[in-house]
Amino acid sequence: MTADTTSFDYVIVGGGTAGLVVAARLSENPDYRVLVLEAGVDNSADPRVHIPALYSALAYTDADWGFSTEPQPGLNGRQIPVNQGKALGGSSSINARVFVPPTKTLVDAWETLGNQGWTWDALRPYLARAYTSPEVDKSLEKAMGIGEWTSRENDTPRGPIQTSFPGSASHPIREAWAETFKMNGLAMAHDPFLESSVGGFSCLASIDPATKERSNATTAYYHPNKNRENLCVLTSARVMKIDFDMALPPAPIRATAVQYEQDGELRTVAVAKEVILAAGAFQSPKVLELSGIGDAQLLAQHGIDVVQDLPGVGENLQDHVVSSISYRARDDLETLDALARQEPDAIGQAMQQYTSNRSGPLTSVGVYTYAYLSLPAQDQQQLRELLGSNPPPDESSSSSSSSGSQPPLARALHDIGEKMLLDPQTPSGAYLSIMSQAPRPDVPNSGYPADPAVPGKFFTIAAMLSHPFSRGSVHIQSRDPLVDPAIDPRYLSHPLDEEVLARHMLHIETIATSPPLARLLQQPLARRDPASHLAADLDAAKRYLRAKSTSMWHPAGSCAMMPRALGGVVDARLRVYGVSNLRVVDSSAIPLISTANLQATVYAFAERAADLIKETW
Ligand SMILES: Cc1cc2nc3c(=O)[nH]c(=O)nc-3n(C[C@H](O)[C@H](O)[C@H](O)COP(=O)(O)OP(=O)(O)OC[C@H]3O[C@@H](n4cnc5c(N)ncnc54)[C@H](O)[C@@H]3O)c2cc1C
């Protein structure tokens, strides 16, 4: 679009995962003029973006905001890398592409928190609208580990995101994983996108099955629509703040314009209908605070005029903590360790396979299987006691609780958490397998030591805490828009989080010794890191977590959709409290983090948000 760029019906701040979904859906109506302002560039031609196995090479490049947390007391004071995409497509342009759904109980809990109409039944059609499930030859279903599914999401094209079961269809891990969980009574009965529950399953990736390239918000939602006359996407355009018309009460405050910097110039664009904030979980709260919406005391500290006193902005931050154990694999198992060690011969051969016929190890990131699990029955009684000894604060308490939330929210979260933790049909941990060791690259300026890859073949099982009780925050440190926000997720600050994740870590050992999976590993088990030999010792598991766990890069909840009395920032139609035409649509508005990796949930959330916006006008 080349016409007048000084005024639009909708201005979307952030052309990331959610922002591009909303832009594509709103611009379906030719009467709406839609502008997207994105700080990064369209880097989809970069091989590191589109070749699946190269995603980690994007960390700390121009495509990454390169954030780290404040020192985390719950993780031995370490500063944890929390990378975020700075590109058209946002984090969907740098992520690992695992494509897994939230569970029914989790999404239903959004409504329990006070968001009427946000249930699994309401969200499910939007998950289906966001992606296309891959076609699978019937004869391959057993080997693919999906033979037990009595129903599967339809493979007729539905949504723009293309998905596939990544890597080689015949890799033995899929069937071995599915059989192992089946023998323990934990086969996933259906495609988890249809009726999610507990059990082991082969997982999808947002990789186009035809091209074996990344399918993301840019390729799926923007490129097919980029010639629309009414859609304008500006890249290298960094938003500084939103301007408001401060009408006298009772007239509501209105967003009137957005200020952004491009090519060294400060520009302003006027807004006729709405501003939609989609700058991600760390930067949507930042843009609100810089614009005068947030905790009045914090804004005053930075000399920012208060437009709306909304103390929930930047609070309720959640993320998935993850920890893993790498086991020595059988010598004949196909793994990605040679690539993890960056061996030139292996890279050359893999590149040759990929460029000649889109095959070989570069077609996946080596994550083929998942499991959503509750804790075994023997842990339930202990958890009951732990829940009893960590009660939420009472009505009279005015300070924040051990979870990091104010009392009313802490009570609501305690009740929801208790229900989910004690329900055997609700997972409290999400496990993933990786077909290699999990080395850690050097993280600039973090004091986070590199952990280089070692010789040999490995198979890694990681566990993430699905529903953390801990809550952290993200706030501006300055009124200067170029200064990074202070990110403090308070990982494992709630005592129950460490207790739950430590038990899941011990369960990893049970999985690794259960046949038929165990037959793919060297037995007796040999671990890459001696400290990961936990020997059924809960204290050893807790020490290991504090020393080794990290972020899975899924920040959420920092502009939460919740009642204002609970510290919410947006209502159930995603409108910022006190402002008539400003919404937040991205991971920051999701009130309770998804069960596992977040992108599928963000796509569905944004699809539904687009309908809510369309209903308004
Ligand atoms: C390294 C990594 C690996 C991941 N792996 C997976 C995975 O395998 N599977 C999975 O499901 N999830 C994964 N995730 C998480 C998932 O990708 C994110 O949760 C999701 O993409 C977030 O979407 P969003 O719309 O909230 O934010 P984003 O997609 O990050 O979009 C925010 C956008 O806003 C832009 N922006 C920010 N501030 C401004 C400003 N002031 N002006 C203009 N633009 C601005 C950003 O540049 C960005 O484009 C991963 C994330 C990362 C970072």
Side-chain angles (χ1 to χ4, degrees), residues 13-19 37-40 55 65 83-92 94-100 237-240 278-281 283 287 552-555 585-588 597-600 602:
V13 176
T17 315
L37 297 169
E38 167 54 43
Y55 88 100
W65 289 94
N83 313 72
Q84 290 285 282
K86 183 183 185 183
L88 199 60
S91 298
S92 81
I94 70 165
N95 71 15
R97 304 175 181 80
V98 169
F99 201 80
V100 289
R238 182 166 177 157
V239 170
M240 302 289 156
Q283 302 199 84
V287 173
M552 196 76 191
W553 308 293
H554 302 156
V585 180
D586 60 17
S587 49
S588 72
N597 308 54
L598 210 53
Q599 66 167 338
V602 173

Short mmCIF file of all heavy atoms in Angstrom, two decimals, residues 13-19 37-40 55 65 83-92 94-100 237-240 278-281 283 287 552-555 585-588 597-600 602, ligand 1:
data_model
loop_
_atom_site.label_atom_id
_atom_site.label_comp_id
_atom_site.label_asym_id
_atom_site.label_seq_id
_atom_site.Cartn_x
_atom_site.Cartn_y
_atom_site.Cartn_z
N VAL A 13 0.70 -2.43 16.79
CA VAL A 13 2.06 -2.17 17.28
C VAL A 13 2.75 -3.52 17.47
O VAL A 13 2.43 -4.28 18.38
CB VAL A 13 2.01 -1.40 18.62
CG1 VAL A 13 3.42 -1.22 19.17
CG2 VAL A 13 1.31 -0.07 18.44
N GLY A 14 3.68 -3.86 16.58
CA GLY A 14 4.37 -5.14 16.63
C GLY A 14 3.83 -6.08 15.57
O GLY A 14 2.69 -6.54 15.66
N GLY A 15 4.67 -6.35 14.55
CA GLY A 15 4.27 -7.29 13.48
C GLY A 15 4.81 -8.67 13.79
O GLY A 15 5.51 -9.27 12.98
N GLY A 16 4.49 -9.17 14.97
CA GLY A 16 4.97 -10.49 15.38
C GLY A 16 3.92 -11.56 15.14
O GLY A 16 3.06 -11.44 14.26
N THR A 17 3.98 -12.61 15.95
CA THR A 17 3.09 -13.76 15.79
C THR A 17 1.63 -13.32 15.82
O THR A 17 0.88 -13.53 14.86
CB THR A 17 3.37 -14.77 16.93
OG1 THR A 17 4.78 -14.92 17.07
CG2 THR A 17 2.74 -16.13 16.64
N ALA A 18 1.22 -12.68 16.91
CA ALA A 18 -0.18 -12.27 17.04
C ALA A 18 -0.50 -11.09 16.14
O ALA A 18 -1.57 -11.03 15.52
CB ALA A 18 -0.49 -11.93 18.50
N GLY A 19 0.43 -10.14 16.03
CA GLY A 19 0.16 -8.91 15.28
C GLY A 19 -0.17 -9.20 13.82
O GLY A 19 -1.09 -8.60 13.25
N LEU A 37 3.24 -1.68 12.53
CA LEU A 37 4.55 -1.07 12.79
C LEU A 37 5.44 -2.11 13.46
O LEU A 37 5.15 -2.54 14.58
CB LEU A 37 4.39 0.15 13.70
CG LEU A 37 3.55 1.30 13.13
CD1 LEU A 37 3.23 2.33 14.21
CD2 LEU A 37 4.30 1.96 11.96
N GLU A 38 6.48 -2.53 12.80
CA GLU A 38 7.35 -3.59 13.32
C GLU A 38 8.79 -3.07 13.42
O GLU A 38 9.34 -2.55 12.45
CB GLU A 38 7.27 -4.82 12.40
CG GLU A 38 8.35 -5.87 12.64
CD GLU A 38 8.46 -6.36 14.09
OE1 GLU A 38 7.42 -6.61 14.72
OE2 GLU A 38 9.61 -6.47 14.60
N ALA A 39 9.41 -3.32 14.58
CA ALA A 39 10.77 -2.82 14.80
C ALA A 39 11.81 -3.57 13.97
O ALA A 39 12.84 -3.00 13.57
CB ALA A 39 11.12 -2.93 16.28
N GLY A 40 11.57 -4.86 13.69
CA GLY A 40 12.54 -5.65 12.93
C GLY A 40 12.28 -5.59 11.44
O GLY A 40 11.46 -4.78 10.96
N TYR A 55 17.74 -22.84 13.55
CA TYR A 55 17.09 -21.74 14.29
C TYR A 55 17.95 -21.15 15.40
O TYR A 55 17.95 -19.94 15.65
CB TYR A 55 15.73 -22.22 14.85
CG TYR A 55 15.82 -22.85 16.21
CD1 TYR A 55 15.49 -22.12 17.35
CD2 TYR A 55 16.26 -24.17 16.37
CE1 TYR A 55 15.59 -22.70 18.60
CE2 TYR A 55 16.36 -24.74 17.61
CZ TYR A 55 16.03 -24.00 18.73
OH TYR A 55 16.14 -24.56 19.97
N TRP A 65 15.93 -9.71 20.22
CA TRP A 65 16.08 -8.58 21.15
C TRP A 65 17.18 -8.87 22.16
O TRP A 65 17.70 -7.95 22.81
CB TRP A 65 14.76 -8.28 21.86
CG TRP A 65 13.71 -7.67 20.97
CD1 TRP A 65 12.74 -8.33 20.28
CD2 TRP A 65 13.53 -6.28 20.67
NE1 TRP A 65 11.97 -7.44 19.56
CE2 TRP A 65 12.43 -6.18 19.79
CE3 TRP A 65 14.19 -5.11 21.04
CZ2 TRP A 65 11.97 -4.95 19.28
CZ3 TRP A 65 13.73 -3.90 20.55
CH2 TRP A 65 12.65 -3.82 19.68
N ASN A 83 15.43 -14.87 25.02
CA ASN A 83 15.45 -14.32 23.67
C ASN A 83 14.03 -14.06 23.18
O ASN A 83 13.10 -14.76 23.59
CB ASN A 83 16.15 -15.31 22.72
CG ASN A 83 17.45 -15.82 23.31
OD1 ASN A 83 17.44 -16.61 24.23
ND2 ASN A 83 18.54 -15.36 22.78
N GLN A 84 13.88 -13.09 22.30
CA GLN A 84 12.57 -12.75 21.71
C GLN A 84 12.82 -12.27 20.29
O GLN A 84 13.77 -11.50 20.05
CB GLN A 84 11.91 -11.59 22.49
CG GLN A 84 11.43 -11.96 23.88
CD GLN A 84 10.15 -12.79 23.84
OE1 GLN A 84 9.08 -12.28 23.64
NE2 GLN A 84 10.29 -14.09 24.02
N GLY A 85 11.95 -12.67 19.38
CA GLY A 85 12.15 -12.32 17.98
C GLY A 85 12.00 -10.83 17.70
O GLY A 85 11.02 -10.21 18.11
N LYS A 86 13.00 -10.27 16.99
CA LYS A 86 12.92 -8.89 16.54
C LYS A 86 12.95 -8.94 15.01
O LYS A 86 13.99 -8.79 14.37
CB LYS A 86 14.10 -8.07 17.05
CG LYS A 86 14.04 -6.60 16.67
CD LYS A 86 15.28 -5.88 17.15
CE LYS A 86 15.15 -4.38 16.88
NZ LYS A 86 16.37 -3.66 17.26
N ALA A 87 11.81 -9.21 14.43
CA ALA A 87 11.71 -9.43 12.98
C ALA A 87 10.25 -9.43 12.63
O ALA A 87 9.40 -9.60 13.52
CB ALA A 87 12.30 -10.80 12.61
N LEU A 88 9.94 -9.25 11.35
CA LEU A 88 8.56 -9.47 10.95
C LEU A 88 8.24 -10.93 11.28
O LEU A 88 9.05 -11.83 11.02
CB LEU A 88 8.43 -9.21 9.44
CG LEU A 88 7.02 -8.95 8.95
CD1 LEU A 88 6.40 -7.73 9.63
CD2 LEU A 88 7.00 -8.78 7.44
N GLY A 89 7.10 -11.17 11.90
CA GLY A 89 6.82 -12.53 12.40
C GLY A 89 7.23 -12.70 13.85
O GLY A 89 6.88 -13.70 14.48
N GLY A 90 8.00 -11.76 14.38
CA GLY A 90 8.37 -11.79 15.80
C GLY A 90 9.03 -13.09 16.19
O GLY A 90 9.88 -13.63 15.47
N SER A 91 8.63 -13.63 17.32
CA SER A 91 9.26 -14.86 17.82
C SER A 91 8.92 -16.06 16.93
O SER A 91 9.65 -17.05 16.94
CB SER A 91 8.85 -15.12 19.27
OG SER A 91 9.31 -14.05 20.07
N SER A 92 7.87 -15.96 16.12
CA SER A 92 7.58 -17.08 15.20
C SER A 92 8.65 -17.18 14.11
O SER A 92 8.70 -18.15 13.37
CB SER A 92 6.18 -16.96 14.58
OG SER A 92 6.16 -16.06 13.50
N ILE A 94 11.96 -16.91 14.89
CA ILE A 94 13.21 -17.46 15.45
C ILE A 94 12.94 -18.67 16.33
O ILE A 94 13.85 -19.24 16.92
CB ILE A 94 14.01 -16.41 16.24
CG1 ILE A 94 13.32 -16.01 17.57
CG2 ILE A 94 14.29 -15.17 15.41
CD1 ILE A 94 14.26 -15.27 18.52
N ASN A 95 11.68 -19.08 16.46
CA ASN A 95 11.39 -20.14 17.43
C ASN A 95 11.76 -21.53 16.90
O ASN A 95 12.11 -21.70 15.74
CB ASN A 95 9.95 -20.05 17.95
CG ASN A 95 8.91 -20.44 16.93
OD1 ASN A 95 9.22 -21.05 15.91
ND2 ASN A 95 7.67 -20.09 17.19
N ALA A 96 11.62 -22.52 17.79
CA ALA A 96 12.05 -23.88 17.44
C ALA A 96 10.96 -24.65 16.70
O ALA A 96 11.16 -25.80 16.32
CB ALA A 96 12.45 -24.63 18.70
N ARG A 97 9.80 -24.03 16.54
CA ARG A 97 8.70 -24.54 15.69
C ARG A 97 7.86 -25.69 16.27
O ARG A 97 6.99 -26.22 15.58
CB ARG A 97 9.22 -25.03 14.33
CG ARG A 97 10.00 -24.01 13.53
CD ARG A 97 10.53 -24.70 12.30
NE ARG A 97 11.32 -23.86 11.42
CZ ARG A 97 12.59 -23.56 11.61
NH1 ARG A 97 13.22 -23.99 12.69
NH2 ARG A 97 13.23 -22.81 10.75
N VAL A 98 8.14 -26.12 17.50
CA VAL A 98 7.28 -27.15 18.09
C VAL A 98 5.85 -26.61 18.10
O VAL A 98 5.62 -25.44 18.44
CB VAL A 98 7.72 -27.45 19.54
CG1 VAL A 98 6.69 -28.29 20.26
CG2 VAL A 98 9.08 -28.12 19.54
N PHE A 99 4.89 -27.45 17.70
CA PHE A 99 3.51 -26.96 17.55
C PHE A 99 2.60 -27.88 18.36
O PHE A 99 2.21 -28.96 17.90
CB PHE A 99 3.13 -26.96 16.07
CG PHE A 99 1.99 -26.07 15.73
CD1 PHE A 99 2.16 -24.70 15.58
CD2 PHE A 99 0.70 -26.58 15.58
CE1 PHE A 99 1.10 -23.86 15.27
CE2 PHE A 99 -0.37 -25.75 15.27
CZ PHE A 99 -0.17 -24.38 15.11
N VAL A 100 2.32 -27.50 19.58
CA VAL A 100 1.52 -28.34 20.49
C VAL A 100 0.39 -27.50 21.11
O VAL A 100 0.54 -26.30 21.28
CB VAL A 100 2.41 -28.96 21.60
CG1 VAL A 100 3.33 -30.02 21.04
CG2 VAL A 100 3.22 -27.89 22.33
N ALA A 237 10.43 0.01 12.06
CA ALA A 237 9.61 1.11 12.61
C ALA A 237 9.35 0.80 14.09
O ALA A 237 8.57 -0.09 14.40
CB ALA A 237 8.29 1.20 11.85
N ARG A 238 10.04 1.52 14.95
CA ARG A 238 9.97 1.20 16.38
C ARG A 238 9.03 2.17 17.09
O ARG A 238 9.24 3.39 17.06
CB ARG A 238 11.37 1.30 16.97
CG ARG A 238 11.43 0.94 18.42
CD ARG A 238 12.86 0.73 18.84
NE ARG A 238 12.92 0.45 20.27
CZ ARG A 238 13.93 -0.19 20.84
NH1 ARG A 238 14.95 -0.60 20.11
NH2 ARG A 238 13.95 -0.40 22.13
N VAL A 239 8.03 1.60 17.72
CA VAL A 239 7.03 2.44 18.40
C VAL A 239 7.59 2.97 19.71
O VAL A 239 8.17 2.23 20.51
CB VAL A 239 5.73 1.64 18.62
CG1 VAL A 239 4.77 2.40 19.53
CG2 VAL A 239 5.07 1.36 17.27
N MET A 240 7.38 4.28 19.92
CA MET A 240 7.87 4.94 21.14
C MET A 240 6.75 5.04 22.17
O MET A 240 6.92 4.76 23.33
CB MET A 240 8.37 6.35 20.81
CG MET A 240 9.46 6.37 19.78
SD MET A 240 10.97 5.69 20.51
CE MET A 240 11.86 5.12 19.11
N ALA A 278 0.64 -5.43 20.17
CA ALA A 278 1.04 -6.83 19.98
C ALA A 278 2.57 -6.90 19.97
O ALA A 278 3.17 -7.52 19.10
CB ALA A 278 0.46 -7.37 18.66
N ALA A 279 3.17 -6.27 20.98
CA ALA A 279 4.64 -6.17 21.02
C ALA A 279 5.28 -7.27 21.85
O ALA A 279 6.48 -7.23 22.10
CB ALA A 279 5.04 -4.79 21.52
N GLY A 280 4.48 -8.26 22.27
CA GLY A 280 5.03 -9.40 23.01
C GLY A 280 4.99 -9.17 24.52
O GLY A 280 4.72 -8.08 25.02
N ALA A 281 5.29 -10.25 25.27
CA ALA A 281 5.08 -10.23 26.72
C ALA A 281 6.02 -9.29 27.46
O ALA A 281 5.72 -8.88 28.59
CB ALA A 281 5.22 -11.65 27.26
N GLN A 283 7.36 -6.41 25.85
CA GLN A 283 7.34 -5.04 25.35
C GLN A 283 5.94 -4.44 25.21
O GLN A 283 5.82 -3.22 25.10
CB GLN A 283 8.13 -4.97 24.06
CG GLN A 283 9.56 -5.44 24.33
CD GLN A 283 10.56 -5.01 23.30
OE1 GLN A 283 11.07 -3.90 23.37
NE2 GLN A 283 10.82 -5.87 22.35
N VAL A 287 5.43 -0.57 26.29
CA VAL A 287 4.80 0.50 25.50
C VAL A 287 3.67 1.14 26.31
O VAL A 287 3.50 2.37 26.31
CB VAL A 287 4.29 -0.04 24.14
CG1 VAL A 287 3.48 1.02 23.40
CG2 VAL A 287 5.45 -0.51 23.28
N MET A 552 12.11 -21.65 28.75
CA MET A 552 11.73 -22.27 27.47
C MET A 552 11.30 -21.17 26.49
O MET A 552 10.77 -21.45 25.44
CB MET A 552 10.60 -23.24 27.76
CG MET A 552 10.30 -24.23 26.69
SD MET A 552 11.51 -25.54 26.64
CE MET A 552 11.07 -26.30 25.10
N TRP A 553 11.49 -19.89 26.86
CA TRP A 553 11.16 -18.73 26.02
C TRP A 553 9.66 -18.57 25.80
O TRP A 553 9.23 -18.27 24.68
CB TRP A 553 11.81 -18.80 24.64
CG TRP A 553 13.27 -19.04 24.59
CD1 TRP A 553 14.25 -18.17 25.02
CD2 TRP A 553 13.96 -20.17 24.04
NE1 TRP A 553 15.48 -18.72 24.77
CE2 TRP A 553 15.34 -19.93 24.16
CE3 TRP A 553 13.53 -21.35 23.44
CZ2 TRP A 553 16.29 -20.84 23.72
CZ3 TRP A 553 14.48 -22.26 23.01
CH2 TRP A 553 15.84 -21.99 23.14
N HIS A 554 8.87 -18.77 26.85
CA HIS A 554 7.41 -18.63 26.69
C HIS A 554 6.83 -17.58 27.62
O HIS A 554 5.81 -17.85 28.29
CB HIS A 554 6.71 -19.96 26.98
CG HIS A 554 7.17 -21.09 26.12
ND1 HIS A 554 7.06 -22.42 26.49
CD2 HIS A 554 7.72 -21.11 24.88
CE1 HIS A 554 7.55 -23.19 25.54
NE2 HIS A 554 7.95 -22.42 24.55
N PRO A 555 7.39 -16.37 27.71
CA PRO A 555 6.81 -15.41 28.64
C PRO A 555 5.36 -15.09 28.27
O PRO A 555 5.01 -15.04 27.10
CB PRO A 555 7.70 -14.17 28.48
CG PRO A 555 8.28 -14.29 27.11
CD PRO A 555 8.45 -15.77 26.88
N VAL A 585 -3.28 -7.72 22.17
CA VAL A 585 -3.51 -9.05 21.58
C VAL A 585 -2.15 -9.70 21.36
O VAL A 585 -1.51 -9.51 20.32
CB VAL A 585 -4.26 -8.95 20.24
CG1 VAL A 585 -4.48 -10.34 19.67
CG2 VAL A 585 -5.59 -8.24 20.40
N ASP A 586 -1.67 -10.43 22.31
CA ASP A 586 -0.43 -11.23 22.16
C ASP A 586 -0.28 -12.07 23.41
O ASP A 586 -1.20 -12.14 24.24
CB ASP A 586 0.79 -10.32 21.91
CG ASP A 586 1.05 -9.33 23.04
OD1 ASP A 586 0.50 -9.54 24.13
OD2 ASP A 586 1.80 -8.36 22.82
N SER A 587 0.90 -12.67 23.58
CA SER A 587 1.11 -13.57 24.73
C SER A 587 0.95 -12.84 26.06
O SER A 587 0.66 -13.47 27.08
CB SER A 587 2.49 -14.21 24.63
OG SER A 587 3.46 -13.22 24.38
N SER A 588 1.14 -11.54 26.07
CA SER A 588 1.03 -10.81 27.35
C SER A 588 -0.40 -10.81 27.87
O SER A 588 -0.63 -10.70 29.07
CB SER A 588 1.53 -9.37 27.20
OG SER A 588 0.63 -8.58 26.45
N ASN A 597 4.61 -25.46 24.87
CA ASN A 597 5.05 -24.38 23.98
C ASN A 597 3.87 -23.54 23.52
O ASN A 597 2.79 -24.05 23.24
CB ASN A 597 5.78 -24.98 22.78
CG ASN A 597 6.88 -25.92 23.23
OD1 ASN A 597 6.63 -26.83 23.98
ND2 ASN A 597 8.08 -25.70 22.79
N LEU A 598 4.15 -22.25 23.36
CA LEU A 598 3.05 -21.28 23.35
C LEU A 598 2.48 -20.92 21.98
O LEU A 598 1.36 -20.41 21.89
CB LEU A 598 3.61 -20.00 23.99
CG LEU A 598 2.68 -19.08 24.74
CD1 LEU A 598 1.90 -19.81 25.80
CD2 LEU A 598 3.49 -17.95 25.38
N GLN A 599 3.23 -21.17 20.89
CA GLN A 599 2.82 -20.51 19.65
C GLN A 599 1.43 -20.90 19.16
O GLN A 599 0.67 -20.03 18.72
CB GLN A 599 3.86 -20.69 18.55
CG GLN A 599 4.05 -22.10 18.04
CD GLN A 599 4.87 -22.12 16.74
OE1 GLN A 599 4.96 -21.14 16.03
NE2 GLN A 599 5.46 -23.27 16.43
N ALA A 600 1.06 -22.18 19.24
CA ALA A 600 -0.26 -22.57 18.74
C ALA A 600 -1.34 -21.81 19.52
O ALA A 600 -2.35 -21.36 18.94
CB ALA A 600 -0.46 -24.08 18.88
N VAL A 602 -1.00 -18.87 20.95
CA VAL A 602 -0.99 -17.45 20.53
C VAL A 602 -1.73 -17.28 19.21
O VAL A 602 -2.53 -16.34 19.03
CB VAL A 602 0.46 -16.91 20.44
CG1 VAL A 602 0.48 -15.50 19.85
CG2 VAL A 602 1.13 -16.91 21.81
C1 LIG B 1 14.02 -18.81 20.75
C2 LIG B 1 12.55 -19.14 20.90
C3 LIG B 1 12.13 -20.45 20.69
C4 LIG B 1 10.78 -20.77 20.84
N1 LIG B 1 10.36 -22.02 20.51
C5 LIG B 1 9.03 -22.29 20.47
C6 LIG B 1 8.57 -23.53 19.97
O1 LIG B 1 9.34 -24.39 19.54
N2 LIG B 1 7.22 -23.74 19.96
C7 LIG B 1 6.33 -22.82 20.43
O2 LIG B 1 5.14 -23.09 20.45
N3 LIG B 1 6.76 -21.63 20.91
C8 LIG B 1 8.08 -21.33 20.90
N4 LIG B 1 8.50 -20.10 21.31
C9 LIG B 1 7.51 -19.16 21.85
C10 LIG B 1 6.62 -18.50 20.80
O3 LIG B 1 7.31 -18.30 19.61
C11 LIG B 1 6.11 -17.18 21.38
O4 LIG B 1 5.44 -17.43 22.59
C12 LIG B 1 5.15 -16.43 20.46
O5 LIG B 1 5.68 -16.36 19.17
C13 LIG B 1 4.91 -15.03 21.02
O6 LIG B 1 4.07 -14.31 20.17
P1 LIG B 1 3.73 -12.78 20.46
O7 LIG B 1 2.87 -12.32 19.37
O8 LIG B 1 3.26 -12.63 21.85
O9 LIG B 1 5.15 -12.02 20.42
P2 LIG B 1 6.19 -11.91 19.24
O10 LIG B 1 5.96 -12.92 18.21
O11 LIG B 1 7.54 -11.91 19.87
O12 LIG B 1 5.89 -10.50 18.57
C14 LIG B 1 6.19 -9.25 19.14
C15 LIG B 1 6.65 -8.34 18.02
O13 LIG B 1 6.63 -6.99 18.45
C16 LIG B 1 7.78 -6.34 17.96
N5 LIG B 1 8.03 -5.18 18.81
C17 LIG B 1 8.33 -5.18 20.13
N6 LIG B 1 8.43 -3.91 20.58
C18 LIG B 1 8.16 -3.11 19.52
C19 LIG B 1 8.11 -1.71 19.36
N7 LIG B 1 8.34 -0.87 20.36
N8 LIG B 1 7.83 -1.22 18.12
C20 LIG B 1 7.58 -2.04 17.06
N9 LIG B 1 7.63 -3.39 17.18
C21 LIG B 1 7.92 -3.90 18.40
C22 LIG B 1 8.84 -7.41 18.01
O14 LIG B 1 9.95 -7.11 17.21
C23 LIG B 1 8.07 -8.62 17.55
O15 LIG B 1 8.07 -8.75 16.16
C24 LIG B 1 9.85 -19.76 21.21
C25 LIG B 1 10.28 -18.45 21.41
C26 LIG B 1 11.61 -18.13 21.25
C27 LIG B 1 12.05 -16.70 21.45
#
